[in-house]
């Protein structure tokens, strides 16, 4: 017996040893990703030639889905390849732009759902080298340019959807019979992934997408192949079945609550991934920097997309905005690259990132009144200074908060960064929300204490492919309550708003809002809802609240008695100072 139990404990320690080794291998594999924080996503394909226009009709939304939306047959779509000749493509220009923008790696679509390979593939002649007049391999040129400029390169590959292939998934307008997926897998997908991992030098990551109904055995097979060919190559979560090395959040989503472990947000520069001629809805440098620092403050990396034209040109608007954004990032680099997540809960003035002993406060919303209030930071302060100029910032402790003195005009735009050096470790503060004087204060669903209701998330498409993601308090019963505790440094008057949706309102149902001396009932109006899981969120002013003293408060929303519980989902409540 003794003999047997020793053997068992030896097996256990060997297993733990393997698991620890595996975990450390994964952790090591992701070190560069954890440090990088900012990358360029490139959606470039046959769809770029079409630019969301087909047979005289213009489409809106994500342009790489044109074949699907216009129900284009394979034969017609193949004709597009004869027009694709990106003579203005210059890989070094793209890579230098990414570098100037402050991006540390590039992920480019090698084969998207359309099935067209943007590299010279021997597994399928439906590729840019063989099927178009271009007769070059742009991914080979990109790989060389990345090596020259010191950027890492990854490939996007759509492993399940392939509208060109009857045996793949997705083309339900031409192929009425379900094909033999294994045939597609072994004749195209696996050989092409192998080509990408063999012919282009070190591949930093493979960005799989839309795993659909792919089996867990197939996902293991794909992952084993990547590990065998390029052991250091990272794999994203959209390989499927939780077998990725890191999580890609929802499209165009900057989450309020981050995924566990290594993760990224992926975002569009306008409303489409691929080039779309009618889409001019570019995000500004201020918006992009706000999204980048919010992601980094949650411990993630931000991958921002560009959609080059069929001629191989990154749209000039994109280039101008990326260069402008890059100037800010380069001068505030210390607060971004390699920085850790914020120990502070979400604040009205902006977000923080951190390093050993230093907190970087990214002030995105400039408080009037010359004071920046920070709750719940117990560490003792060594110094505080503007990161770019080095000029010191006066800070004092008031009412248990840190209060920093601000000039009237921000010393940097679109975000000014204060470095706060602390003694010892910056511990994660107890979740303390500050209702900041002079700023819009959002109390979001995930940060409420809930009784008799729960936190839920929903993602939906507004325009085709323009994703929205929202956190809600939902599943309310009679007496359910959502409560936010916050600190108020100064008395004040605030407009109170609720953002909610409620498909079928029930006017006889009452909800109670209570904070400080304020307490009243309000009805919930029906907001309706649309297709694609769409929702219409109502931004409703509930009234004006008076908070007569500085100190701690709890704001509660309570479901009172009533015949029916309307399908009410509360996204947030907002306190806006009455000027
Ligand atoms: C996919 C693609 O279909 C799209 O064309 C683009 O390449 C994008 C980056 O990825 O679209 C998705 C995939 C997953 C989600 C949303 C859109 N999701 O999980 O929310």
């Amino acid at each position: 017996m003794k003999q047997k139990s020793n053997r068992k404990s030896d097996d256990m320690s060997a297993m733990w040893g393997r698991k620890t080794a595996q975990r450390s291998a994964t952790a090591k594999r992701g070190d560069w990703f954890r440090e990088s924080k900012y990358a360029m996503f490139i959606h470039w394909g046959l769809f770029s030639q079409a630019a969301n226009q087909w047979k005289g009709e213009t489409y809106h939304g994500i342009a790489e889905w044109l074949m699907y939306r216009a129900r284009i047959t394979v034969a017609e779509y193949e004709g597009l390849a004869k027009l694709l000749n990106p003579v203005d493509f210059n890989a070094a220009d793209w890579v230098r732009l990414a570098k100037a923008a402050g991006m540390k790696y590039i992920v480019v679509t090698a084969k998207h759902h359309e099935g067209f390979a943007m590299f010279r593939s021997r597994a399928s002649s439906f590729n840019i080298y063989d099927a178009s007049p271009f007769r070059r391999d742009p991914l080979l040129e990109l790989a060389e340019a990345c090596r020259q400029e010191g950027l890492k390169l990854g490939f996007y590959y759509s492993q399940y959807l392939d509208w060109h292939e009857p045996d793949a998934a997705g083309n339900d307008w031409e192929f009425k019979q379900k094909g033999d997926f294994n045939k597609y897998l072994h004749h195209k997908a696996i050989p092409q992934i192998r080509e990408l991992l063999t012919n282009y030098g070190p591949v930093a990551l493979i960005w799989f997408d839309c795993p659909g109904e792919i089996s867990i055995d197939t996902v293991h097979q794909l992952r084993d192949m990547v590990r065998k060919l390029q052991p250091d190559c990272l794999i994203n979560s959209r390989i499927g079945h939780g077998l990725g090395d890191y999580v890609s959040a929802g499209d165009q989503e900057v989450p309020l609550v981050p995924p566990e472990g290594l993760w990224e947000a992926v975002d569009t520069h306008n409303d489409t991934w691929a080039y779309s001629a009618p889409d001019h809805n570019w995000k500004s440098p201020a918006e992009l920097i706000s999204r980048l620092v919010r992601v980094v403050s949650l411990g993630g990396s931000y991958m921002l997309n560009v959609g080059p034209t069929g001629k191989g040109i990154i749209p000039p608007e994109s280039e101008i905005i990326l260069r402008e954004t890059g100037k800010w990032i380069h001068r505030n680099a210390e607060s971004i690259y390699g920085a850790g997540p914020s120990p502070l809960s979400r604040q009205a003035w902006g977000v923080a990132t951190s390093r050993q002993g230093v907190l970087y406060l990214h002030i995105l919303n400039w408080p009037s009144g010359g004071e920046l209030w920070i709750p719940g930071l117990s560490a003792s302060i060594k110094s505080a200074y503007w990161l770019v100029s080095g000029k010191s910032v006066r800070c004092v402790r008031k009412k248990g908060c840190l209060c920093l003195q601000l000039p009237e005009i921000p010393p940097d735009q679109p975000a000014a960064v204060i470095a706060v050096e602390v003694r010892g470790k910056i511990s994660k503060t107890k979740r303390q929300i500050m209702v900041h004087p002079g700023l819009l204060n959002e109390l979001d669903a995930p940060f409420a204490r809930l009784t008799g209701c729960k936190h839920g998330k929903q993602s939906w498409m507004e325009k085709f492919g323009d994703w929205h993601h929202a956190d809600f308090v939902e599943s309310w019963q009679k007496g359910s309550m959502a409560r936010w505790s916050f600190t108020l440094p100064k008395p004040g008057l605030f407009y109170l708003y609720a953002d909610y949706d409620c498909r079928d309102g029930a006017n006889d149902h009452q909800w109670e809002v209570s904070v400080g001396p304020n307490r009243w009932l309000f009805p919930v109006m029906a907001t309706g809802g649309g297709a694609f899981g769409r929702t219409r969120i109502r931004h409703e002013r509930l009234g004006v609240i008076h908070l007569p003293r500085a100190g701690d408060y709890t704001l509660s929303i309570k479901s009172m008695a009533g015949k029916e519980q309307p399908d009410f989902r509360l996204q947030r409540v907002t306190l806006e100072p009455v000027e």
Side-chain angles (χ1 to χ4, degrees):
M1 278 305 279
K2 189 97 179 87
Q3 190 69 18
K4 200 176 169 196
S5 67
N6 280 346
R7 195 169 54 245
K8 189 160 178 291
S9 65
D10 290 349
D11 291 351
M12 286 289 281
S13 54
M15 186 271 287
W16 282 119
R18 280 196 304 278
K19 271 199 173 298
T20 312
Q22 190 180 25
R23 249 200 313 275
S24 58
T26 304
K28 190 176 169 308
R29 194 179 290 123
D31 284 348
W32 68 268
F33 183 91
R34 201 173 286 109
E35 292 292 308
S36 298
K37 300 299 177 191
Y38 189 35
M40 179 182 274
F41 209 173
I42 301 176
H43 274 66
W44 197 36
L46 202 39
F47 37 68
S48 310
Q49 181 60 31
N52 238 352
Q53 294 164 319
W54 185 254
K55 291 186 176 175
E57 195 173 339
T58 294
Y59 290 75
H60 296 272
I62 51 176
E64 69 281 2
W65 275 68
L66 177 70
M67 184 180 174
Y68 176 90
R69 299 175 66 202
R71 293 297 194 256
I72 304 170
T73 65
V74 168
E76 285 186 299
Y77 202 72
E78 286 175 342
L80 205 49
K82 294 179 177 50
L83 306 175
L84 181 66
N85 192 7
V87 293
D88 298 327
F89 168 66
N90 180 313
D93 288 351
W94 287 14
V95 176
R96 288 182 192 133
L97 171 62
K99 201 169 178 181
M103 296 161 156
K104 297 297 183 183
Y105 59 96
I106 290 173
V107 177
V108 62
T109 48
K111 193 269 296 181
H112 204 271
H113 310 331
E114 63 179 4
F116 187 74
M118 290 301 281
F119 61 99
R120 185 177 187 180
S121 169
R122 285 171 174 71
S124 159
S125 60
F126 190 49
N127 71 69
I128 190 166
Y129 187 93
D130 296 312
S132 89
F134 194 48
R135 305 292 296 172
R136 281 160 52 184
D137 183 335
L139 299 198
L140 205 54
E141 297 174 31
L142 260 181
E144 181 49 32
C146 282
R147 268 192 294 278
Q148 292 294 330
E149 297 294 337
L151 264 65
K152 290 182 179 294
L153 179 64
F155 295 126
Y156 166 109
Y157 193 88
S158 173
Q159 74 275 25
Y160 180 72
L161 294 178
D162 187 320
W163 303 322
H164 185 265
E165 307 299 335
D167 288 323
N171 183 335
D172 56 7
W173 59 93
E174 196 170 352
F175 308 131
K176 300 303 177 197
Q177 303 301 327
K178 209 172 166 65
D180 174 356
F181 184 74
N182 262 328
K183 198 168 150 208
Y184 159 73
L185 198 61
H186 291 282
H187 289 185
K188 183 171 180 179
I190 286 179
Q192 287 192 328
I193 296 166
R194 184 181 302 281
E195 287 176 316
L196 291 167
L197 292 167
T198 308
N199 305 334
Y200 297 87
V203 177
L205 63 89
I206 290 276
W207 211 88
F208 289 108
D209 195 19
C210 296
E213 294 164 19
I214 213 161
S215 73
I216 190 164
D217 291 347
T218 302
V219 176
H220 274 294
Q221 202 181 338
L222 291 175
R223 189 173 75 163
D224 294 349
M225 173 172 68
V226 175
R227 290 280 190 262
K228 184 160 173 280
L229 292 169
Q230 298 239 7
D232 295 334
C233 179
L234 279 176
I235 299 169
N236 76 324
S237 54
R238 293 188 195 173
I239 187 173
H241 292 286
L243 293 175
D245 297 313
Y246 70 95
V247 176
S248 300
D251 279 29
Q252 302 154 36
E253 177 187 17
V254 177
L256 284 171
V257 177
E260 289 291 317
L262 215 51
W263 71 280
E264 69 181 351
V266 286
D267 211 356
T268 51
H269 205 163
N270 43 11
D271 291 330
T272 173
W273 299 94
Y275 176 64
S276 173
D279 188 332
H280 302 278
N281 189 23
W282 308 103
K283 293 179 181 68
S284 68
E287 281 176 288
L288 294 174
I289 285 164
S290 167
R291 293 166 84 84
L292 165 67
V293 297
R294 278 167 50 200
V295 168
V296 177
S297 81
L298 291 169
S301 291
Y302 184 60
M303 183 150 78
L304 177 64
N305 183 75
V306 294
T309 65
K311 283 293 171 224
I313 294 291
I314 290 175
E317 299 87 344
S318 251
E319 175 162 356
I320 291 164
I321 291 168
L322 284 177
R323 289 188 186 281
E324 194 55 33
T325 310
K327 288 177 197 162
W328 182 91
I329 293 171
H330 285 296
R331 62 176 180 261
N332 290 282
E334 180 186 324
S335 71
I336 303 291
Y337 302 122
S342 167
L344 298 175
S345 57
R346 194 159 178 255
Q347 306 296 315
W349 46 263
V351 294
T353 60
S354 65
R355 278 181 196 285
Q356 181 65 32
V358 187
L359 205 53
Y360 300 97
L361 312 178
H362 297 82
I363 308 170
L364 300 162
N365 307 306
W366 195 257
S368 54
E371 290 179 325
L372 186 74
W373 290 83
I374 298 172
L377 193 60
S378 52
S380 79
I381 308 302
K382 274 166 67 178
S383 70
Y385 55 91
W386 294 105
L387 183 63
V388 173
S389 67
K391 284 192 185 134
S392 69
V393 174
R394 188 166 169 274
C395 56
V396 294
R397 279 206 181 278
K398 281 197 235 177
K399 302 184 178 66
C401 301
L402 196 61
C403 181
L404 293 94
Q405 308 304 312
L406 298 181
E408 199 177 325
I409 310 293
D412 198 357
Q413 288 288 3
V417 182
I418 297 177
V420 180
E421 291 186 337
V422 298
R423 284 185 187 81
K425 197 169 170 305
I426 307 172
S427 55
K428 197 144 177 79
T429 55
K430 59 184 171 61
R431 188 192 298 280
Q432 194 173 6
I433 300 170
M434 160 74 66
V435 167
H436 202 289
L439 287 178
L440 197 72
N441 296 276
E442 293 179 333
L443 309 183
D444 291 289
F447 309 122
R449 279 176 293 127
L450 306 178
T451 312
C453 45
K454 70 182 177 61
H455 169 224
K457 254 189 97 122
Q458 188 191 352
S459 297
W460 71 93
M461 283 188 192
E462 198 58 66
K463 292 186 290 235
F464 188 87
D466 176 11
W467 281 84
H468 287 255
H469 309 268
D471 293 82
F472 292 103
V473 179
E474 54 191 28
S475 309
W476 296 76
Q477 312 300 324
K478 191 176 77 173
S480 301
M481 220 171 2
R483 284 174 288 179
W484 290 269
S485 298
F486 60 84
T487 294
L488 180 76
K490 286 181 173 176
L493 268 182
F494 295 87
Y495 293 116
L496 178 67
Y497 290 88
D499 286 15
Y500 66 84
D501 77 355
C502 183
R503 286 185 188 282
D504 322 303
N507 294 338
D508 65 339
H509 190 81
Q510 298 292 315
W511 303 78
E512 180 200 71
V513 56
S514 153
V515 53
N518 314 272
R519 182 189 302 266
W520 65 82
L521 297 176
F522 67 94
V524 160
M525 317 305 281
T527 58
F532 269 117
R534 276 185 200 143
T535 181
R536 288 198 188 89
I537 293 172
R538 183 182 172 86
H539 180 65
E540 180 170 340
R541 193 157 105 182
L542 303 185
V544 174
I545 54 173
H546 176 223
L547 302 179
R549 54 172 178 73
D552 292 342
Y553 287 87
T554 294
L555 184 150
S556 72
I557 301 281
K558 185 176 177 184
S559 162
M560 306 305 280
K563 280 203 294 287
E564 290 296 319
Q565 293 290 341
D567 174 19
F568 171 63
R569 299 190 306 176
L570 179 64
Q571 189 181 12
R572 68 171 68 87
V573 291
T574 304
L575 284 78
E576 179 185 338
V578 174
E579 302 299 344

